[in-house]
Amino acid sequence: MPTPEFLAIGSIIIDDIVYPDGRTSMGVLGGGGTHAAYGIAFAGEKPGLVGLVGAGLPRDIRARLEADFDTAGLVRTHHPQMRGWQIFEWNGVRNEIFRVEVIEPFMYGPAPDEIPASFTNPRGFTLLRGPQHVAAWRARFPDAALLWEPVRIFMLSADHEAFFEGITHADIVSPNLHEAQAMYGIEDEREIIRRMLADGVEVAVLRMGELGSLVARSGDGRAYYIPAVEVAEVVDQTGAGNTYCGGFLVGYCREGDVAEAGCYGAAAASFTLEHVGCARMPANLERDWDRRLEEARAGLRSVLL
Ligand SMILES: Nc1ncnc2c1ncn2[C@@H]1O[C@H](COP(=O)(O)OP(=O)(O)O)[C@@H](O)[C@H]1O
Ligand SMILES: [Mg+2]
């Protein structure tokens, strides 16, 4: 198999979902890495998924991963596959209770030197990790576009120094609005973008849920509001941000333009919103994709920074 042009590096998790009325969906495919890989796939590229898979990964899930992705970057561990209860409340709040004792290796594995040597020179990769991991992945793929999605817990911690260290190794940095507000102690999204650029971020991508996203490249003097692509019903927002990042990366590498990349992100995320867990690859992907991308472009708004 040829080496994948795009990689998603992050976690793979099996969710057992409990709805507020007591219904359940068991064995649903989730995880930040998986969602980001689908974002790449919705944008029309076959991604390599890089993550740890444990013992007892359900057969149907493995088959699905193998059908949709290049799985040479999945590293096996003897620990039971990371799996958790996801308990939803009526207001959308989601509480997670892990069902396995060992979590950490799944969150932070594999290390850059554990993935196949055949993975050379991707055009780009999404990285869902803490700041201390960014430099090593940058060193593993020096020429690839690196989109860093800082894991939530670091954004909410007081360790800002670590964040600033992380951004120096990334090309694109994408927190969500709540995380960035907590981290900078600033409410206003444009002010946050200015701060990110001033701190040395080359491409800043702020994900703002139903408000869409705000993206900017250093030196342009402007930023772009990208609307959320509307869907018939938002079934579950989980993973929308990861999927957005996968789409953004492909758009950025293909078009070299941050506004267009943001539209790719919004189009990709919209598929995830319609599903519990990872969205299936749509049968008529190309047509569906073009329509969603057009919708995002139509709502694009440029502002001075
Ligand atoms: N509730 C929602 N309604 C409509 N679009 C949404 C919603 N949540 C997310 N999105 C879309 O998905 C994108 C990424 O999701 P976001 O919520 O910003 O990241 P995260 O999942 O990390 O919180 C948004 O920019 C938007 O396009
Ligand atoms: Mg959200």
Side-chain angles (χ1 to χ4, degrees), residues 176 207-210 212-213 227-229 234 237 240-241 244 266 269 273:
N176 85 6
R207 307 185 317 268
M208 308 190 297
E210 61 191 335
S213 57
V229 169
V234 176
Q237 329 179 359
Y244 178 105
L273 297 172

Side-chain angles (χ1 to χ4, degrees), residues 232-243:
E233 188 194 353
V234 176
V235 173
D236 180 6
Q237 329 179 359
T238 311
N242 314 122
T243 316

Side-chain angles (χ1 to χ4, degrees), residues 43-293:
E45 302 285 343
K46 183 146 186 167
L49 174 60
V50 175
L52 217 64
V53 290
L57 184 73
R59 212 175 271 272
D60 60 319
I61 298 275
R62 171 166 290 281
R64 183 174 167 187
L65 295 176
E66 279 169 3
D68 294 339
F69 309 137
D70 180 328
T71 54
L74 292 183
V75 173
R76 285 162 188 264
T77 164
H78 64 277
H79 297 299
Q81 169 60 39
M82 179 161 63
R83 186 162 185 141
W85 292 111
Q86 305 290 342
I87 304 167
F88 278 93
E89 298 301 342
W90 291 112
N91 62 4
V93 168
R94 171 173 163 138
N95 282 295
E96 183 170 44
I97 301 173
F98 287 115
R99 303 189 68 185
V100 294
E101 274 174 25
V102 179
I103 302 295
E104 285 234 333
F106 292 96
M107 304 295 244
Y108 303 117
D113 59 5
E114 288 176 284
I115 65 165
S118 65
F119 277 16
T120 51
N121 297 320
R123 287 169 73 188
F125 63 105
T126 61
L127 181 65
L128 183 57
R129 287 280 190 272
Q132 73 277 30
H133 296 264
V134 187
W137 283 103
R138 162 49 78 211
R140 177 71 175 78
F141 300 122
D143 302 322
L146 194 174
L147 185 155
W148 179 38
E149 187 187 345
V151 294
R152 186 181 166 75
I153 185 158
F154 282 95
M155 294 298 289
L156 304 183
S157 83
D159 194 0
H160 298 176
E161 285 312 308
F163 177 76
F164 295 129
E165 163 67 14
I167 62 181
T168 63
H169 304 288
D171 300 298
I172 307 161
V173 178
S174 180
N176 85 6
L177 181 62
H178 301 298
E179 296 162 0
Q181 285 172 332
M183 146 97 210
Y184 279 111
I186 303 172
E187 286 292 309
D188 181 69
E189 69 265 15
R190 261 191 247 185
E191 189 54 35
I192 290 171
I193 287 277
R194 281 191 211 104
R195 280 286 294 273
M196 287 176 70
L197 296 177
D199 287 338
V201 171
E202 176 64 25
V203 174
V205 179
L206 201 53
R207 307 185 317 268
M208 308 190 297
E210 61 191 335
L211 301 176
S213 57
L214 182 62
V215 307
R217 187 207 305 262
S218 169
D220 284 358
R222 21 184 84 253
Y224 301 90
Y225 281 95
I226 322 279
V229 169
E230 265 185 53
V231 296
E233 188 194 353
V234 176
V235 173
D236 180 6
Q237 329 179 359
T238 311
N242 314 122
T243 316
Y244 178 105
C245 287
F248 187 99
L249 177 73
V250 173
Y252 183 75
C253 290
R254 226 186 252 166
E255 314 289 346
D257 180 271
V258 291
E260 183 67 5
C263 295
Y264 271 63
S270 68
F271 290 100
T272 297
L273 297 172
E274 297 174 307
H275 295 265
V276 170
C278 290
R280 299 260 168 195
M281 295 298 291
N284 53 352
L285 175 62
E286 250 175 74
R287 222 182 48 222
D288 211 357
W289 170 260
D290 289 346
R291 183 183 62 73
R292 291 171 196 240
L293 186 58

